[in-house]
Amino acid sequence: MKKTIASIAAVKLLVLASQLASAQGTVLEPGNAVNGINGNQNQELLYQVEVAPGTTNLTVTLKGGFGDADLYMRYNNAVTVNSFDCRSWNFYNNETCTFNNPEAGTYNIMVRGYSNFMGATLLAQVEGGGSVDPIDPVDPVDPAPTVTELQKDEAVTDLSLDSGNAEYFSIAVPANAENLSISIEGGTGDAELFVKYGELPTQTEFDCQPNLEGNAESCVFEAPIEGTYNIMLYAYSSYADVTLVATYDEVVPTEPTCSNLTPEMQALLDAHNEARATGRSCGSEGFFEAAPPLTWSCQLGEAALGHSVDMATNNFISHTGSDGSNHGQRIRNTGYQPWYTGENVAAGQQNVDSVMSSWLGSDGHCANVMNPNFTEYGGARQDNSAATYRIYWTSVFASPAP
């Protein structure tokens, strides 16, 4: 009888040990990301990472994909929603737990769905420390989503998707495009629209996300960059019969003259004159009273365009050209004979409003905009999707020599 009882006890201990090992979860190898993590609302996925003696830093991140998962961690004990040493519960999949000078041993990790989530990446990284017993690495799974290419003005109809999932589209935009509009409408449920230039958007990485209830959402880019705009429709709740369409205006280029400015040239001139119409403080440069409006100069516009093209082509931002020229030399090279001169440059801003906001928020640039000694102006934008900042702006100010 005692032998039988002992056998039963041994079996129970084996079962308990098996359950405990299962509860600890999948072992992570530091530096090897686990990709393509999916889960439902309130689902709990368990992992663990071993930390060697002498480790100076342990950082675990949960990033990417879509939906919303939270990150919990606990040292040497089971981790739950009520028992943890670190909890990161930001919006979407954007979580980090960091332990400075962590104790050696096992750190248990829980990824818990605040809502349904897909495509998240979990990564443990350590600094310092010796070796730990070898562990089996987790094979990464990084499924590439299918991307459907849209055609200008051709609506895609009857789109349907279950809650927590996403579908992807793209639209190729030519160099002469203006007023790119990407919109969804109709149907039932709640689809969320995300748009990003050059790469697939996520819920944390995008250029436009209206974040409205229902399926009436749009993203508009007045001066789009030549290249590919990528679109994600995420099912905040299940949706059906939704229509997606992308459209833009194709502008026939015309040779600008002083009386025939392009819309963007006119917008730059108007924005500067609107700023000069009211007195303003330019920080360390002092307060400037309202200044007379500027008039457009084709020669200053030529100097501005030449420098924007130079910066975009050669991938730099500076007042010194790739040939070593300064703005005064570039102005004189057009045949303009100046009395006072000035120049503002910028890169990365999507439109005239955003670049003006940047210039007015910088003391020296603001002073150029407000300087009453300047009477004439020329400005230009040049795009290059292969350059670091993609969009390069130049404003040139001067007054002619008497």
Side-chain angles (χ1 to χ4, degrees), residues 323-337:
D323 61 355
S325 63
N326 60 41
H327 76 277
Q329 291 169 325
R330 292 189 291 271
I331 291 172
R332 291 180 176 88
N333 286 343
T334 69
Y336 190 101
Q337 297 302 313

Side-chain angles (χ1 to χ4, degrees), residues 180 182 193-210 218-221 224-225 228-232 348 350-351 390-391:
L180 170 64
I182 300 167
L193 174 65
F194 297 78
V195 179
K196 186 172 178 62
Y197 175 82
E199 56 189 79
L200 292 180
T202 69
Q203 286 187 309
T204 56
E205 297 289 337
F206 51 82
D207 295 327
C208 174
Q209 195 255 325
S218 64
C219 287
V220 176
F221 302 86
I225 307 169
T228 301
Y229 283 76
N230 296 285
I231 303 154
M232 178 176 77
Q350 292 282 331
N351 52 45
R390 300 175 181 169
I391 306 173

Side-chain angles (χ1 to χ4, degrees), residues 226-240:
E226 178 186 6
T228 301
Y229 283 76
N230 296 285
I231 303 154
M232 178 176 77
L233 296 187
Y234 171 70
Y236 183 80
S237 64
S238 297
Y239 61 82

Side-chain angles (χ1 to χ4, degrees), residues 18-37:
S18 176
Q19 291 173 340
L20 180 60
S22 175
Q24 289 175 336
T26 302
V27 176
L28 301 182
E29 182 176 5
N32 284 1
V34 180
N35 301 313
I37 299 176

